[in-house]
């Protein structure tokens, strides 16, 4: 802790931390409100590092597995929806990635 706060007052450290937490919370709220209002988040780019990490594709080639039947898909019956693995982006209902988990509810 001492190295983090070196040259920074306790008050400034707390203010900076609170500011960062507020910004993160505001982005999360904005994203969910945008989705709830029928707005669309940007589509996940399959060529992005984030997508490649999980080998995400817009069109699944894995039998019986696609985003719309994955537990982490939050798009309901829509063609595109949010996914817990890729916050702030939408994935294709027909997409797939290595984090696929069978929908149980
Ligand atoms: Fe699709 Fe993968 Fe997200 Fe499941 S975890 S909804 S398969 S992108």
């Amino acid at each position: 802790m001492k190295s983090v706060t070196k040259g920074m007052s306790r008050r400034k450290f707390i203010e900076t931390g609170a500011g960062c937490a507020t910004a993160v919370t505001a982005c999360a709220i904005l994203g969910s409100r945008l989705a709830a209002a029928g707005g669309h988040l940007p589509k996940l780019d399959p060529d992005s590092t984030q997508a490649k990490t999980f080998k995400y594709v817009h069109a699944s080639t894995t039998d019986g597995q696609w985003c719309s039947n994955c537990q982490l898909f939050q798009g309901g019956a829509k063609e595109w929806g949010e996914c817990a693995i890729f916050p702030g982006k939408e994935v294709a209902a027909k997409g797939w990635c290595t984090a696929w988990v069978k929908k149980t509810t």
Side-chain angles (χ1 to χ4, degrees):
M1 182 85 166
K2 196 170 189 174
S3 63
V4 172
T5 59
K6 187 176 182 181
M8 181 185 283
S9 70
R10 180 179 294 184
R11 172 177 288 207
K12 188 68 177 170
F13 178 75
I14 291 169
E15 286 173 355
T16 302
C20 289
T22 301
V24 168
T25 303
C27 285
I29 291 170
L30 181 63
S32 34
R33 284 190 181 163
L34 181 64
H40 293 282
L41 295 171
K43 293 176 180 173
L44 178 64
D45 178 358
D47 292 325
S48 68
T49 303
Q50 187 183 24
K52 284 184 173 180
T53 299
F54 291 93
K55 298 182 177 167
Y56 171 82
V57 291
H58 284 325
S60 175
T61 57
T62 305
D63 279 348
Q65 297 181 9
W66 47 89
C67 292
S68 64
N69 69 5
C70 171
Q71 186 68 33
L72 303 175
F73 186 69
Q74 299 164 12
K78 293 188 291 186
E79 290 184 26
W80 291 85
E82 290 183 70
C83 164
I85 297 294
F86 304 108
K89 303 287 183 186
E90 286 190 344
V91 298
K94 294 177 181 173
W96 179 87
C97 84
T98 56
W100 183 89
V101 177
K102 184 176 181 175
K103 184 175 276 195
T104 57
T105 55

